[in-house]
Amino acid sequence: IVLTGGDDRLWKTWGFPDGNILLTGEGHTDWLSGCCFRPSGTQLVTSSADTTVRIWDLSRRGCVLTLRGHSRAVRGCSWHSCGDFVASASADGTSKIWDVNSERCRYTLRGHEESVNSIEFLPFSSTVLTSSADKTLSLWDVRTGLRVYTFQGHVHSCNHATFN
């Protein structure tokens, strides 16, 4: 299954390799910037310029949780490999670690000077990686909410970062 999110404010799941649309989700009020399956495959998370992060249940075919707390567009989202936490990156210069079970923000990660453009968990760890328009990447310990390391060297905005 392929998952996509678009400027049309929708997410879609597509059969692979035939390309048939399986499900479509609507509810965001602005463009989608990110989407990611829960490791179990039963839910997904989306991020949007409407400042929200939403959790969707595929069997219910609807949004089961809307996470609010960013003041500007949410630029990306990621699901932790355990399935209990979601991370979001925002144009407001912060990232958030959300506890899906308690439905609350566990930490707000502050330290980038401009928009945080992407966020990704290192699988099976308590480390998250952010990239920013301030030309840096940062590693964070999500158990404490503290920045562990900053990578510098880009001469323009860092738009995405990932682990191998």
Side-chain angles (χ1 to χ4, degrees):
I1 295 177
V2 173
L3 173 62
T4 61
D7 282 352
D8 57 5
R9 305 175 184 170
L10 302 174
W11 60 262
K12 295 180 182 284
T13 59
W14 310 72
F16 180 80
D18 61 11
N20 294 333
I21 295 174
L22 305 173
L23 292 172
T24 299
E26 59 182 81
H28 282 291
T29 59
D30 211 334
W31 51 270
L32 272 68
S33 56
C35 52
C36 183
F37 280 107
R38 189 175 193 160
S40 65
T42 60
Q43 293 182 323
L44 56 96
V45 62
T46 56
S47 55
S48 171
D50 68 10
T51 74
T52 68
V53 175
R54 292 180 182 242
I55 309 294
W56 306 82
D57 189 295
L58 296 175
S59 63
R60 294 184 195 169
R61 296 181 178 222
C63 178
V64 294
L65 179 60
T66 301
L67 302 168
R68 292 180 173 86
H70 286 293
S71 61
R72 294 187 61 202
V74 183
R75 306 275 303 161
C77 57
S78 178
W79 214 303
H80 188 272
S81 51
C82 74
D84 293 332
F85 301 98
V86 164
S88 59
S90 174
D92 66 13
T94 69
S95 297
K96 293 184 180 288
I97 306 300
W98 303 92
D99 183 326
V100 176
N101 297 318
S102 70
E103 302 181 359
R104 296 186 320 170
C105 177
R106 176 164 287 188
Y107 291 108
T108 298
L109 310 178
R110 290 182 172 84
H112 284 293
E113 296 175 13
E114 294 183 39
S115 173
V116 184
N117 296 328
S118 74
I119 191 161
E120 188 167 323
F121 283 102
L122 177 63
F124 309 104
S125 80
S126 60
T127 301
V128 73
L129 174 66
T130 55
S131 69
S132 173
D134 68 10
K135 306 173 198 154
T136 68
L137 305 140
S138 291
L139 288 175
W140 306 81
D141 184 333
V142 298
R143 295 169 300 182
T144 63
L146 300 176
R147 184 164 33 188
V148 177
Y149 189 79
T150 300
F151 299 88
Q152 297 178 343
H154 279 277
V155 294
H156 296 289
S157 177
C158 239
N159 295 325
H160 192 79
T162 190
F163 294 103
N164 71 353

